[in-house]
Amino acid sequence: MKNIIKNISMVLMLILMSSSCSDFDEINEKPNAFSSDEVSAKYFLTSTQIRLYAPDRYPYWRAQLIHADRFAGQFTFGHNGSWWSDGLGYTYTSGYTDAAYGWMAGYNGGLTSYLNFVKEGGDLENERYFAIGLIMKGLYYQMFTDTFGMLPYSEASDPDIITPGYDNQAVIYEGIINELNTAMQIIGDHPNTGEGVDLLTKNDLFYNGDLQKWKKLANTLKLRLGLRALGAADAGFADAAINEAMLSDVLMNSDENALMEKDIEINQWANAAYGDVWWNFGGLGSKWNVGKTLIDYLRNNNDPRLFVYAAPIEGGKEENDWKVEIVKPGSGSGADNFELYVDFILSQLDDADVEYTKTLEEENGKTWYSIEIDRENDYYVGQPTRLNGEMQFAIKYELFSSPADIVINKKNAGNPISPEIVMTAAEGNLLKAEAIVKGFGSGDAQTFYQEGIRQAMMMWDVDSGDIDTFLANEDIAQLDGSMEENLEKIAIQRWIADYTDGFEAWAVVRDTGYPKELTVGVSDQLYYSLGTLNGVYPQRMRYGSGAYNTNGSNTDAANAIQGPDEQKTKLWWAK
């Protein structure tokens, strides 16, 4: 990938050169310029993929980790060594929101440049590269609108419109579906993008230039959009989209996964990863734990992904006795509610069947509980979501599971890092199961459901025997209930499969209402941070200040239609 990144700099030079010439014939007359047979759209594609799925550390930290991954209930802050309480993100902070909005809104410029180069009449005209660009546009706008709601879409790339109007989500969804249809029609039966310099291979970080896999990705995205829009106002297009998608190929097999491998060598400003925050911020302050809801679903259902998603609790690192101390504060809420906070934390250990002893100790005016964990077993304990700062002293980092090493491995250390999830065979199968349960298409929902689970586990190299055991014995692996019970199971499995893809996992929760443990929000201020949301589950992110500074009247008009620019305002399709 380092060589691919170097090619991007060549592309930037090309852009500057092409902007000073009327066409490529003029460039070819210059002895030091690129010749037409040396220039290809493939040099533009890599950056569009990286900037959407692995932007530099600044937005990766503030968009993915502070907001999406945590709103999805999969990561939590607020342990005793953390720099923040777990109210971060749930309490609106303009700087963090601005970073997320600025990254997403700014992405459109590079994507539009790519599409303008490869479209009919463009300097690098190639309809197959254009088809890939339309699919990238669909992936982008689905993420963007599912995060913020109404957005500039139909006018967003028009250079003559400085302040584009906002489209409602129904228009955006239908527009994406139509452009995906165009892309799939262009691809047809073509296996690749062309010959010679136009042949796309390693510059495509998803599929190495395999257009038939791109086509399946587009159809899987179409099915996702149709099912999400189903039942929403002005979504008459949803039924046709679902039916059409069910009649065409979606991602079904592991060799069709769109997983963007992380470059383990180049720096965090070219291709970010969780490890850039975990290690480079220093100390324990920027580290985080895995959420209780996710750990509970995995542990309580004997799901073998537990051991590859998360690490067992450390249980203390004192040299001689493996004890964790929870020390009573000298004053304040922590002192007043010391016993309640300790009991609350220990109840999480009880839920996970952790064997431990609790000893009250006092010395020189200091009071603390010494918690000694049975070290004969590995225990997995999730940290409850949205715990408040008053009890932070009691949320001992060592008593909760952190992400597995493969998720947070450091760059430049020679260790593998889990890839970015773009679209997977797990989702393709699970979407087909959902569609069949809802009355679309044909086939056995149970077969697709279990294959979706199998594919999700295979992504994390779970042993095939363990997968078979899970599918044969666990109730959650069987679609044997009512329609709503079956839809709940499918939603839960989609959410679990989206681990480390917080934007989509969060969307699944808002769309389906599952897991219920998340959607009910929080209310007990003794333990939880209610934040700006007053405890309700976050439904969207606020627009960034850039939206108001550059396009204020249209942003205000969108708020008048969609609802207040608040995190609790539900999106068009939300449950």
Side-chain angles (χ1 to χ4, degrees), residues 279 284 287 312-325 371 373 375 396-399:
W279 296 103
L284 192 61
K287 293 175 172 54
I313 65 173
E314 294 182 10
K317 285 189 172 181
E318 292 190 22
E319 184 175 352
N320 297 319
D321 55 14
W322 294 98
K323 293 180 181 179
V324 174
E325 294 182 351
I371 313 300
I373 305 295
R375 303 300 299 179
K396 304 298 286 187
Y397 175 77
E398 299 90 344
L399 297 180

Side-chain angles (χ1 to χ4, degrees), residues 260-262 273-274 405-409 416-420 460 500:
M260 194 176 81
E261 294 296 328
K262 306 297 293 187
Y274 289 121
D405 286 345
I406 196 170
V407 176
I408 44 105
N409 269 337
I417 302 173
S418 56
E420 295 288 339
W460 293 82
T500 70

Side-chain angles (χ1 to χ4, degrees), residues 348-422:
Q348 312 308 315
L349 304 186
D350 295 336
D351 287 348
D353 295 325
V354 177
E355 295 289 337
Y356 66 91
T357 58
K358 178 182 75 170
T359 305
L360 180 64
E361 301 189 42
E362 295 181 284
E363 184 177 333
N364 298 327
K366 172 185 172 183
T367 300
W368 70 96
Y369 276 106
S370 179
I371 313 300
E372 185 172 3
I373 305 295
D374 168 24
R375 303 300 299 179
E376 295 298 316
N377 299 294
D378 283 338
Y379 298 106
Y380 292 80
V381 185
Q383 182 181 315
T385 297
R386 301 172 71 170
L387 297 181
N388 67 37
E390 299 295 331
M391 63 180 301
Q392 192 162 357
F393 73 93
I395 310 169
K396 304 298 286 187
Y397 175 77
E398 299 90 344
L399 297 180
F400 296 100
S401 291
S402 59
D405 286 345
I406 196 170
V407 176
I408 44 105
N409 269 337
K410 189 176 184 178
K411 293 270 192 78
N412 304 307
N415 297 315
I417 302 173
S418 56
E420 295 288 339
I421 294 173
V422 179

Side-chain angles (χ1 to χ4, degrees), residues 394-456:
I395 310 169
K396 304 298 286 187
Y397 175 77
E398 299 90 344
L399 297 180
F400 296 100
S401 291
S402 59
D405 286 345
I406 196 170
V407 176
I408 44 105
N409 269 337
K410 189 176 184 178
K411 293 270 192 78
N412 304 307
N415 297 315
I417 302 173
S418 56
E420 295 288 339
I421 294 173
V422 179
M423 189 74 73
T424 66
E427 178 158 20
N429 281 281
L430 292 170
L431 288 172
K432 291 201 77 167
E434 179 180 339
I436 292 169
V437 171
K438 290 181 175 178
F440 294 91
S442 60
D444 179 34
Q446 169 76 358
T447 299
F448 288 115
Y449 177 63
Q450 291 208 335
E451 184 60 24
I453 297 173
R454 181 181 298 279
Q455 291 293 330

Side-chain angles (χ1 to χ4, degrees), residues 46-61:
T46 308
S47 61
T48 68
Q49 295 174 320
I50 290 174
R51 294 307 299 169
L52 186 58
Y53 289 100
D56 64 54
R57 190 186 76 184
Y58 186 69
Y60 199 87
W61 155 234

